[in-house]
Amino acid sequence: MPRMRLDKLLAHLNCGSRKEVQAMIRSGRVAVDGAVLTDPAAKVDPDTAQVLLDGQAQTYCAQRYYMLNKPTGVITASRDERHDTVLGLFPENLRRGLFAVGRLDKDTEGLLIITDDGALSHALMSPARHVCKIYEAEVEGELAPDAAGQVAAGLTLRDGTVCLPAHLEILSQREAGARVRITLREGKYHQVKRMIAALGGTVVHLRRVQLGGLRLDPALPAGAFRALTEEELVLLQQTGDIIS
């Protein structure tokens, strides 16, 4: 990897703002490969340099990737003056540079990828790449008898919008309602809710369980996050490379 300014590296590692880490460096708190450096502009190799701040090793990671089980009641935004956001679920020292890949509605929960990798985000969310998104929904009302067939053929919404062919599976049924799983390869506004409405039902609870080849960890509680494993990151990267 190209050499990087020392102050930029420490800011990337969430050691402080650019101005704060420059002050740390000038005060002699930073050592690189055993030698104290006091020039914020000093160039270092982030992949090989041993960087210490106040004697504590700082490990460089080119990009960060987290799986978040988004709870209801928070919005998919980096910041908002009126509402709690998904980044508010992360400690302040981790938030710098992070953003959500795509979005989930305020009342929708489930799998959300949080990263600082813009290229991967674009690959996963580009309309030209029909990356699958799988949702499970609790539905009230009686769906049309041929609901699965309509969805498979490309459902027309009430406003005339035509959806790409998708897959609808009835997981269970109850009196005046059902639990369904729906797989999409596009991301229209409120699409699952609008599709269910076109089929005669109303979504009362919605949860995303899969994005591309990556499934939501069933052991991850709502509101919690964790770093992706190497295997999960490979799945996500492979998904971003696929154009169907």
Side-chain angles (χ1 to χ4, degrees):
M1 182 173 182
R3 293 167 71 82
M4 182 184 295
R5 282 179 58 116
L6 182 56
D7 57 352
K8 182 178 180 181
L9 173 61
L10 289 174
H12 178 86
L13 294 173
N14 298 300
C15 294
S17 68
R18 194 74 168 264
K19 185 176 180 180
E20 289 169 340
V21 299
Q22 287 174 351
M24 295 173 190
I25 295 166
R26 292 191 180 103
S27 65
R29 295 169 57 187
V30 178
V32 178
D33 295 331
V36 174
L37 296 185
T38 57
D39 180 4
K43 295 295 183 69
V44 298
D45 185 336
D47 291 326
T48 61
Q50 294 182 329
V51 180
L52 302 181
L53 171 61
D54 295 333
Q56 298 295 315
Q58 306 297 315
T59 303
Y60 177 75
C61 178
Q63 265 102 26
R64 294 171 289 159
Y65 306 88
Y66 299 102
M67 173 188 295
L68 170 69
N69 186 353
K70 178 193 172 297
T72 58
V74 299
I75 64 171
T76 307
S78 297
R79 61 172 63 95
D80 190 275
E81 294 181 357
R82 296 183 300 162
H83 305 286
D84 293 332
T85 71
V86 292
L87 286 191
L89 299 170
F90 286 72
E92 189 171 353
N93 67 320
L94 288 183
R95 295 176 200 167
R96 187 187 303 274
L98 292 179
F99 55 86
V101 177
R103 66 184 299 275
L104 292 177
D105 298 333
K106 183 178 180 180
D107 59 352
T108 300
E109 64 181 43
L111 177 62
L112 195 62
I113 302 303
I114 307 292
T115 185
D116 55 3
D117 187 343
L120 180 63
S121 176
H122 175 75
L124 292 170
M125 292 296 108
S126 171
R129 299 174 181 261
H130 302 302
V131 175
C132 80
K133 306 167 188 70
I134 302 180
Y135 298 82
E136 293 181 356
E138 295 290 340
V139 176
E140 288 184 352
E142 188 173 346
L143 297 180
D146 61 342
Q150 289 189 51
V151 170
L155 185 66
T156 299
L157 304 180
R158 288 176 172 174
D159 64 358
T161 300
V162 178
C163 299
L164 291 176
H167 180 73
L168 175 69
E169 179 183 358
I170 308 296
L171 300 176
S172 62
Q173 287 187 300
R174 61 183 186 280
E175 186 176 353
R179 181 167 172 263
V180 305
R181 179 183 295 129
I182 187 164
T183 301
L184 307 178
R185 294 190 177 274
E186 58 184 338
K188 290 182 169 63
Y189 180 69
H190 287 170
Q191 185 169 351
V192 174
K193 297 173 185 177
R194 294 163 68 200
M195 291 175 73
I196 294 299
L199 295 167
T202 301
V203 172
V204 294
H205 182 259
L206 185 61
R207 181 170 180 253
R208 184 161 70 187
V209 297
Q210 188 165 335
L211 175 64
L214 182 66
R215 290 192 60 84
L216 177 65
D217 183 348
L220 192 64
F225 70 91
R226 66 165 174 78
L228 294 186
T229 66
E230 290 185 12
E231 293 79 7
E232 289 171 334
L233 180 55
V234 168
L235 278 176
L236 206 58
Q237 291 170 331
Q238 288 175 339
T239 296
D241 288 338
I242 295 172
I243 304 178
S244 56

